[in-house]
Structures are given as structure tokens and as C-alpha cells.
Amino acid sequence: MLLTWRIRNKVSSIHGISICNVRECLTTERGQNLHCFESSRQERHFPRNTGLYFDTINCGEGGIDTASCGTATKVLLALVVGGVIYFLVQRSKRHQLKSEDGWWGEGTPMDGEEDLSIRPYTVRTDDEELEDLYRRIDQTRSFPSLEDSQFNYGFNSHYLQKVVTYWRRDFDWRRQVEKLNKFPHYKTNIEGIDVHYVHVRPKNLPEGVTAVPLLMVHGWPGSFYEFYRMIPLLTEPSNPDDIVFEVVCPSIPGYGFSEAPHKKGFDSVCAARVFHKLMKRLGFQQFYAHGGDWGWIVTTNMAQLEPKIIKGLHLNFAPPSKPGLPVVLSIMLGRSFPKLFGFNEHDIQRIYPVVQNLVVESVKESGYMHIQATKPDTVGRGLNDSPVGLAAYILEKFSTWTDHDFRNLDDGGLTRKFSLDDLLTNVMIYWTSGCIISSMRFYKENFSKGLDQPHSTSVECCYVISMMPVHVPTGFACFPNELMHTPKLWVQQKYRELKTFTPMARGGHFAAMEEPELMAQDIQNFTKMQEKMK
């Protein structure tokens, strides 16, 4: 039988193997195709460095032997299949974040056994603290805002005066301290620093029911107080079919009543490691975790460090760490082909026009980040010295990050979603603990190394950490006014086991504080799904 194969008219070498290079089709004398590489042209040209072109030549009688051509086919096919398999294996390969123990206390680690004690903690205040606050408020120097500027230049001075007047005359810090102490507080020393946390166990657990442990981590400029209205919805649910949670809300070291690190380098991975140690110390072998803002990356790192310990990860903030090809293509083509990328109408509204929504808006709202990621101590000293300056700096975020349209309101829309008592309680946690500088340093520790420098205590580099997929069941609550909008496709690029993605009816960046019922219900739904799958 005469076999005809279109091949190039010279022998080439692939990985040191000389082969007869295949052309379009292998055919019999009668013209029957046995194997084809589809092409619409008589000749197929390849880049010059390969020197390939096709022409008709015989394999078999009078031509190159059939065995050589068969080998050529097998080698090329093996290379293609091998490349595909390699790509799929690399994509599915599960990296686990590595991290070494640290010491963040003053001086060198103390000799002897580690202090594993857990100590009850009570939030306190006194006359001296309040007198100092009132004196500083009374001596503040005001400065007028520009006409018709609303909150577009920052916190409006005219409305700030109203907030300060309420703070000085009507706000009752002693009563708020009692409110803070309605849940049990504790401290324990981990890696040389005292870590503060709120630990709420269900009061009336039905017989035969086991509480599900849940860790909830705050961000900046928030605190553990963000979760106060949500905690009872989780630990004492009104629906008998709901899961009963046992909730732990720690303060990130350097925030609230947690001690600030005394050494450089304490970033999100360090916080994740410390919180894992905290939960182990409390006796939890496995637990769920929830986070927004910095809590997002801390709990994400916890899932990367110990994926078998985190039963499920629930987030309400997850900006793309490193936009890959699917994200880039969705940005380029999503407006024209929204269904191709799973975009809905809200996705289109939040993403396009791209320059305005993804670039200009980000620049408008990220000035604070550049300051805190470079020289936090400089501006921090001023904020730590002035309660009014601190309130303006923090509360402006609770305006704009709740709804960016609030920039155009004279009062910043602050009391449309929050009470002044709740807002000022969060400010007072920063003021009385003196933590504003150390909280801002967390930005420098996480951003100053860049994306290609080794982590100070990790064998992984920050670039790998940002790109490293998460292989833990994940639920995502997508609030419509979140500071950075993240469509489902974008979330899936990092969180490979995304189980639930819920477009929420309303809410912004501080969703746990703004919409506690919605957030609690989404955590319930996600956890129920995971528990049923056991």
C-alpha cells in the first residue's frame, strides 16, 4: 500500500529526536484519510526559527519509511498532550503557605515555658481619661470647609462641629463601656504580645446540639465592635433550624485592646498564624472563619496556612490580588459579552467605564493607603494627639466607604446607616487604647516589601501569597456598595472552591455593622450547606 503524507521536505529535531515532520493528512492510494491536521491552505508556514513548510511527499513505497512518519505523529501528539496535562496539573497543584514562629514582644524571647494562660479582661474608663478627652475637644481649632464641597474634600468641617458637639455634650462613654462589657473579653499572650478577643458562647444550647465555632476578624478603621449587633444573631438565633455558633472576635495585634508588635514585620500572615494559635489554645480543632477588609486577607492566609483546620471561609471583601487572563479578558470584553463572563447588570454598572470606575475611583479613595503604607508614624502622631482629628479621619471612611455617593451630602450620610453612638464608640476604642499609629503600621508591613520580596518569616514570597489559590470551601457575600466590586468570576480565580456567591440587597464596606441581619443570614446559609455535606 502506498501511504501519502504532507510533510515538510526536511528532517527536524525536537528535544534531540529526529523526526519526519507531519503535514496535513495521511492518506491511502484511494484517497482515504487516515489522520489529518486541519488546514485550509496547501502550505502551512511556521515562524522562521522553525524553518517549517509543507509539501507532498511519500511515506512508504519510494518515500520516507512509514515507521518514521508514525513516530513523528506520536512524538508531536505526546508533546501536545503532555503540555496540556502539565498546565492542568500546575493549575490544580495545591500550595500550602509556610510560616515560622515569631517574637513580637519587647527585647528577646524570655527563657522558660510559654505563658498559655487566658485572663479575663474588662474594658474600663475613669474620670481622668474623660477629663483629658474633654479638654482636648474643647481646645480643638476649627477650620472652615470650602463652599459647596460637602464630603468631596474630606470630612466637612461644618458637620464635624455638630459631631464634636454631640460627642462633648451627649455621648455617654461610660454607658458604652457597659455595652462593650456585655460580652466576655479575654487576653492571652502569643508570640510575646497580649492578644485581646471577645468570646461568646451560646447561653441556651438545646440538648443534643453542638455549637459551631466561628472566628470573625475586623479591618481598618474598624474593630471587634463592628460585630456586636451580629453576634446575638449567630449565638442565639430565633429560627430553630438555624445553626448555633460559638463566636470568637479577636483584635488584630496593634488594634483595639491587643498589644502592638514591638518589632518590624508583623503582617497579615503573622496575624493569621497568631489567630490559629489562639483558636488551638481555646480548644478548637476545626472552625469557620469570616472576614472583611483586613479580615479578608488574614482569614485567607489562615486558610492557606492550615486548609484542613478551616472548615469554611466566608468573606464580604475579596479584591483581585493579581489579575490573570480571565479577569483581563472579562474587563476587555465583558461589556459586549456579559453572559460569557457571568456578568449581571450590577457588575456592568460597577466596572464600566473602566477608567472611571476602576482607576479614578480607586485613586480617589486610596490616598490614606499610600500614607499608611509609607510613613504611618508621621500622620499618626497628629491623630494620636487630637481626638477631633482622629474622629474626622476615621468617620470619613464610614461615610464614603458605605456609599460613594455620600460624598455629595453635607452630612456625609453618616447617620443614614449608623448611629453616632456606635460610630463614636469605635472611635473611642482607637482613642482610649492609643492604637491608631500601630493600626496604620499594618499597611506598611503588608505593602512595603512589594509583591516580589520574600516574606520576613515565610519561605513563600508575597507575590506567591497573593497568587496562591485557596482550596477551602468559600462563601462570598457581594454587597452592592462595597468599596471594590468583585464579580463572581474574579472571586473564583483565587477561591477555587467557591460554594456560594450571594448578591446582597444593600450594604457597603462595613457590612457587618451596617447590615448585621443580612450578613448573619448569609453566614448561616453558607455554613448550613457545608455542614450538610459532611
Side-chain angles (χ1 to χ4, degrees):
M1 176 186 291
L2 177 65
L3 299 179
T4 304
W5 207 326
R6 291 181 59 81
I7 59 174
R8 70 174 185 172
N9 59 6
K10 64 179 182 179
V11 175
S12 67
S13 176
I14 298 179
H15 294 296
I17 302 174
S18 295
I19 63 171
C20 173
N21 290 273
V22 185
R23 63 113 187 155
E24 300 297 330
C25 290
L26 177 65
T27 63
T28 65
E29 293 176 281
R30 300 177 180 178
Q32 180 182 5
N33 290 336
L34 297 181
H35 191 79
C36 288
F37 290 91
E38 293 184 4
S39 175
S40 59
R41 301 182 54 176
Q42 287 290 64
E43 293 186 348
R44 179 179 290 178
H45 296 274
F46 285 78
R48 291 182 180 179
N49 59 345
T50 65
L52 296 180
Y53 62 90
F54 287 101
D55 122 8
T56 301
I57 189 168
N58 295 333
C59 288
E61 299 175 11
I64 298 176
D65 67 276
T66 306
S68 297
C69 289
T71 301
T73 307
K74 293 176 182 177
V75 170
L76 288 174
L77 188 59
L79 288 173
V80 172
V81 173
V84 172
I85 293 175
Y86 177 80
F87 172 79
L88 293 175
V89 168
Q90 287 299 110
R91 178 177 173 81
S92 63
K93 189 176 181 180
R94 298 193 174 192
H95 298 277
Q96 186 168 339
L97 185 60
K98 306 293 183 182
S99 182
E100 301 172 359
D101 289 346
W103 174 263
W104 308 103
E106 294 183 274
T108 57
M110 295 182 293
D111 295 331
E113 294 184 2
E114 183 181 8
D115 180 8
L116 303 178
S117 64
I118 293 174
R119 311 180 304 277
Y121 175 78
T122 302
V123 183
R124 302 183 186 278
T125 189
D126 53 37
D127 290 340
E128 183 180 356
E129 183 177 71
L130 290 173
E131 288 171 2
D132 176 69
L133 170 69
Y134 295 152
R135 177 180 58 81
R136 292 170 186 266
I137 289 177
D138 291 341
Q139 293 179 352
T140 189
R141 295 190 302 171
S142 183
F143 193 84
S145 292
L146 295 172
E147 296 177 2
D148 196 33
S149 60
Q150 293 83 37
F151 268 59
N152 286 288
Y153 282 69
F155 205 108
N156 183 276
S157 289
H158 179 70
Y159 185 67
L160 180 60
Q161 188 56 50
K162 293 183 178 180
V163 173
V164 170
T165 300
Y166 179 84
W167 193 3
R168 180 65 174 85
R169 297 178 182 176
D170 301 310
F171 179 73
D172 190 341
W173 175 234
R174 293 184 188 276
R175 184 178 64 187
Q176 295 305 110
V177 166
E178 292 179 1
K179 183 177 180 179
L180 291 177
N181 287 323
K182 77 175 184 179
F183 296 135
H185 294 247
Y186 302 90
K187 284 190 176 183
T188 189
N189 194 276
I190 301 175
E191 297 191 4
I193 52 178
D194 280 345
V195 177
H196 161 263
Y197 63 97
V198 174
H199 188 179
V200 185
R201 299 173 176 88
K203 296 178 181 178
N204 303 305
L205 195 62
E207 186 177 352
V209 175
T210 303
V212 175
L214 171 66
L215 177 80
M216 298 198 294
V217 184
H218 65 87
W220 187 93
S223 64
F224 64 89
Y225 184 66
E226 289 181 63
F227 303 116
Y228 257 50
R229 289 173 59 200
M230 195 168 75
I231 289 174
L233 302 176
L234 297 169
T235 59
E236 308 290 336
S238 57
N239 186 344
D241 294 328
D242 279 349
I243 289 174
V244 179
F245 290 93
E246 182 175 346
V247 175
V248 177
C249 296
S251 295
I252 297 173
Y255 286 71
F257 304 121
S258 279
E259 185 178 354
H262 297 271
K263 294 175 172 58
K264 297 184 293 183
F266 190 91
D267 59 14
S268 64
V269 177
C270 300
R273 185 180 64 246
V274 166
F275 288 167
H276 264 302
K277 291 183 177 182
L278 170 64
M279 295 300 279
K280 289 177 183 177
R281 189 169 297 182
L282 294 177
F284 299 116
Q285 302 303 314
Q286 286 187 309
F287 55 91
Y288 288 86
H290 163 80
D293 195 85
W294 276 127
W296 145 69
I297 191 62
V298 172
T299 54
T300 292
N301 289 158
M302 292 180 75
Q304 293 169 325
L305 283 169
E306 302 274 7
K308 294 182 179 179
I309 289 178
I310 304 297
K311 296 179 69 176
L313 178 63
H314 186 273
L315 306 169
N316 62 284
F317 183 70
S321 301
K322 269 281 188 177
L325 183 60
V327 174
V328 173
L329 288 177
S330 70
I331 292 174
M332 295 173 59
L333 305 174
R335 195 169 197 173
S336 300
F337 308 98
K339 292 183 179 180
L340 182 63
F341 302 99
F343 285 177
N344 56 33
E345 185 176 347
H346 182 69
D347 294 328
I348 300 299
Q349 291 176 349
R350 288 299 308 270
I351 297 173
Y352 303 98
V354 172
V355 173
Q356 175 62 35
N357 289 1
L358 299 187
V359 180
V360 175
E361 281 297 322
S362 295
V363 171
K364 282 184 179 180
E365 295 303 325
S366 61
Y368 80 97
M369 185 186 300
H370 296 286
I371 293 173
Q372 294 174 193
T374 52
K375 302 292 180 63
D377 286 24
T378 304
V379 67
R381 279 303 301 267
L383 299 176
N384 195 52
D385 205 49
S386 169
V388 175
L390 179 67
Y393 196 71
I394 289 177
L395 296 184
E396 184 259 322
K397 304 308 179 192
F398 278 84
S399 165
T400 308
W401 293 1
T402 299
D403 189 330
H404 65 84
D405 288 337
F406 284 176
R407 288 185 300 228
N408 301 317
L409 301 176
D410 291 332
D411 63 356
L414 273 178
T415 55
R416 295 190 179 193
K417 295 290 187 175
F418 312 103
S419 71
L420 281 181
D421 280 348
D422 283 341
L423 292 171
L424 289 172
T425 296
N426 183 65
V427 172
M428 285 295 287
I429 290 172
Y430 277 83
W431 176 257
T432 58
S433 65
C435 73
I436 186 61
I437 297 177
S438 53
S439 72
M440 294 162 65
R441 286 174 180 166
F442 201 54
Y443 283 81
K444 184 171 180 65
E445 303 298 2
N446 281 288
F447 287 113
S448 64
K449 303 180 191 70
L451 293 177
D452 57 352
Q453 298 298 315
H455 183 271
S456 59
T457 60
S458 172
V459 298
E460 305 286 346
C461 71
C462 292
Y463 176 82
V464 174
I465 292 172
S466 68
M467 289 295 291
M468 184 184 296
V470 176
H471 295 282
V472 166
T474 305
F476 187 79
C478 184
F479 286 87
N481 292 321
E482 177 56 80
L483 185 62
M484 297 182 68
H485 180 67
T486 313
K488 183 177 181 179
L489 173 69
W490 299 7
V491 178
Q492 289 174 316
Q493 301 312 299
K494 185 176 185 70
Y495 301 90
R496 300 291 172 79
E497 294 188 33
L498 184 66
K499 303 299 183 181
T500 63
F501 182 95
T502 312
M504 307 304 283
R506 57 191 177 277
H509 187 69
F510 303 99
M513 188 172 174
E514 179 189 349
E515 299 290 347
E517 292 84 5
L518 292 180
M519 183 74 85
Q521 189 58 56
D522 201 62
I523 292 175
Q524 280 280 356
N525 294 340
F526 167 68
T527 309
K528 285 178 183 178
M529 177 181 293
Q530 292 308 116
E531 290 296 297
K532 288 179 181 178
M533 294 175 64
K534 291 194 303 182

